[in-house]
Amino acid sequence: LHVDEPSSHVDWSAGAVELLTEPREWPGGPDRPRRAGVSAFGVSGTNAHAVLEEAPRPETGDSGDGDGADAAGRTDTGTDRSAPSILPWVISARTPEALPDQARRLLDHLREHPGTVALDVARSLATHRSALPYRAAVLGTDHAELVARLTAFAEGARGEGIVTGTEQPDGRTAFLFAGQGSQRLGMGRELYEVFPVFAEAFDAVAAEVPFA
């Protein structure tokens, strides 16, 4: 955009890089998704680069594809083709000692319902169960890995893919976008002088966070 003549500081004859000055076809294929790098450089200090990839193409299957998939994309292994690459199974309890018991109850449920889909389990645990003070999560890429790590946690093991913690007080998050930083001195001064709510919040944060 806005380029009438390519920069003379770049050897455009070397390599395969060129300026895109008009629309063109962007071929893709089933084995190679289209990717693009997008850079942003701003006078205020912005310096960012993002790599974008086209969304996965939906997989279509029918009863004759031989992989045991049904119309919802599920298979007899308890996996879901639309599931994220990493899934969390979360559990909670009133005491830390009760967490392994919760894991064992979940394992019993899974044994009684062998066709349960991993994504459905994750969704139900996150949205339909009480969030008690002591919490744990097992992370996995598929149903088998999640069951294996849940079993390990129930037996007292800790390690990769097993996270424990406790309930934290409700809080709110604030963000400050200060550009390259040279304008940080005095930033918000007018807001501080005009809006008492802003001044009160700023003073509270300043009292907790030391400024260099």
Side-chain angles (χ1 to χ4, degrees):
L1 187 65
H2 307 308
V3 174
D4 298 321
E5 183 177 348
S7 171
S8 60
H9 297 287
V10 176
D11 183 3
W12 298 103
S13 64
V17 177
E18 61 180 297
L19 290 178
L20 188 63
T21 58
E22 60 185 16
R24 58 186 294 179
E25 290 295 325
W26 190 9
D31 301 323
R32 184 178 181 181
R34 287 175 287 194
R35 297 185 180 93
V38 181
S39 297
F41 306 102
V43 68
S44 65
T46 302
N47 188 349
H49 183 76
V51 178
L52 308 180
E53 179 177 299
E54 67 174 319
R57 303 182 182 200
E59 295 187 34
T60 58
D62 53 47
S63 58
D65 60 8
D67 65 358
D70 63 14
R74 294 187 289 257
T75 70
D76 55 9
T77 60
T79 59
D80 188 329
R81 290 181 179 179
S82 63
S85 57
I86 295 289
L87 278 177
W89 283 357
V90 297
I91 57 176
S92 66
R94 297 190 184 280
T95 66
E97 295 79 15
L99 275 174
D101 292 335
Q102 292 290 75
R104 285 187 283 270
R105 291 190 183 95
L106 179 55
L107 288 169
D108 290 342
H109 174 81
L110 295 172
R111 281 190 288 267
E112 294 171 3
H113 303 82
T116 305
V117 178
L119 180 61
D120 293 341
V121 176
R123 181 184 298 112
S124 296
L125 291 172
T127 61
H128 297 296
R129 303 289 293 179
S130 298
L132 300 174
Y134 294 89
R135 302 172 184 181
V138 295
L139 309 176
T141 57
D142 56 33
H143 190 276
E145 186 173 48
L146 285 160
V147 168
R149 288 177 173 171
L150 186 66
T151 302
F153 177 75
E155 295 174 351
R158 300 292 185 272
E160 182 180 0
I162 301 175
V163 182
T164 59
T166 57
E167 178 184 17
Q168 299 298 316
D170 292 337
R172 302 173 69 181
T173 302
F175 299 91
L176 173 64
F177 301 94
Q180 68 185 36
S182 62
Q183 70 273 45
R184 178 64 186 87
L185 183 63
M187 178 178 287
R189 179 176 296 167
E190 185 176 354
L191 291 172
Y192 188 96
E193 294 172 349
V194 175
F195 297 101
V197 174
F198 179 92
E200 181 180 354
F202 186 92
D203 288 341
V205 172
E208 299 293 333
V209 181
F211 291 93

